[in-house]
Amino acid sequence: MRVQDYLYADNKSKQNYWREGWNHFKNVYKSDIFKEKNIILSIHGVLVGSVTGSFCSVDIPSIMDFKPTKIITLIDDVYASWYRTEERAQGIQYIGQPSLEELLDARRSEILVGDIIQNHIEPTPPHFILATRHTARTLFRLCFLNTSDLETVYLSFPISGPRRLLNEGDESGINDVNDFLREANNFEEAHNNFACFCPLCIDELPLIMKGEESDEGWTFDLTYRWEVRDFYSEEILLGDFHTIPGILEFPDKKKIRYVEGLIRTDVGWRDHRLVKQSKHLVVFNPVYLGHLSGGVDSEIDGNIMKRKHCFVYQNPEHDPQGLVKSRWVKEDPSIPSPGMRYVTIYDNLNELFQALGSW
């Protein structure tokens, strides 16, 4: 069956075709040769077409029979996904040229399908979302470490403030964050049971904030994307990004405007989702240039609500008024504060990572 025939078939035919393929796979993974083996099953939970929209043909009982122990949904920058699908189609529409809006809808749906599968499996497996600009090491540990042994960490830090400073020609904020992330990456490399999630491994706001509008189209210079190589150096990443050109040309500027709200909304809920899937929160400079970062503040609150520990470092030069301690440290220990007991503030990053490593 050709891809386009599958896309436009009725739902029953799609599901029958999916089950037929699954039965072939089932005969393989249930054979004696794969007993006591680790099996990685890679599937698309969702497909999308310009006429069909997003749809799912996954047969949940089949997945239940497979009994996955981990579910991992890989995601990427929407503009990178758009370029790859355009390059594959070579202008032939029926091969598949989904719009940015359709790709974002499909990504949301893909995560939802992962959650639905998770809800039908006993014992319940964890469902991780992982951006493909993370290191291959991170995915390896998510896949192969026992959940009870795996220590997952979300790295929280201000992003908008350092970028505003960069717009004024000052790179110090960007450099400070990169230094922190290099230390976090070195920590992960040295501690075999840790996996760190970095929000900069997906970075879509520059598309709408830094793209340039022409008469009809939209041009995006990828140098505005935060460069993960500045803190991951030569690490092997999950995706191959060398094939994406430095300048992306979008033929219809209206379609960029269509997705602006989706992209902005995804930033908030995705970061909270990453906090939720982590056992620990490591926070760098929640106060930046004297102002409490709204995003970081929200992530700390979300972590406290889950009764999980927050490891916080604050550079005093950015917090001359002591906002961090006034917010998360009670001067009078006789006054109970259920939330604050989950926050520990460290004098330097070395102490912070030492404490995290001994957890």
Side-chain angles (χ1 to χ4, degrees), residues 294-336:
V296 175
D297 183 35
S298 179
E299 289 163 2
I300 293 174
D301 283 347
N303 202 65
I304 291 173
M305 288 176 61
K306 295 295 182 182
R307 300 188 298 279
K308 295 186 291 188
H309 197 77
C310 302
F311 299 77
V312 179
Y313 166 72
Q314 175 63 55
N315 184 336
E317 293 181 5
H318 286 289
D319 187 20
Q321 297 180 356
L323 297 177
V324 167
K325 289 189 175 180
S326 66
R327 182 168 177 79
W328 288 296
V329 178
K330 281 287 186 183
E331 292 185 3
D332 185 354
S334 66
I335 302 175

Side-chain angles (χ1 to χ4, degrees), residues 1 80-81 108 126 146 172 191-192 212 216 231 303 356 358:
M1 179 182 287
S81 299
R108 289 180 172 188
N146 291 329
S172 62
H191 293 77
N192 294 333
E212 295 185 2
E216 295 295 334
F231 50 88
N303 202 65
L356 179 64
S358 62

Side-chain angles (χ1 to χ4, degrees), residues 143-171:
C143 287
F144 295 111
L145 291 183
N146 291 329
T147 302
S148 59
D149 298 328
L150 178 65
E151 299 294 335
T152 48
V153 178
Y154 179 73
L155 305 172
S156 177
F157 48 89
I159 297 175
S160 298
R163 276 184 157 150
R164 283 194 294 268
L165 205 60
L166 181 63
N167 290 337
E168 299 170 5
D170 187 343
E171 297 182 1

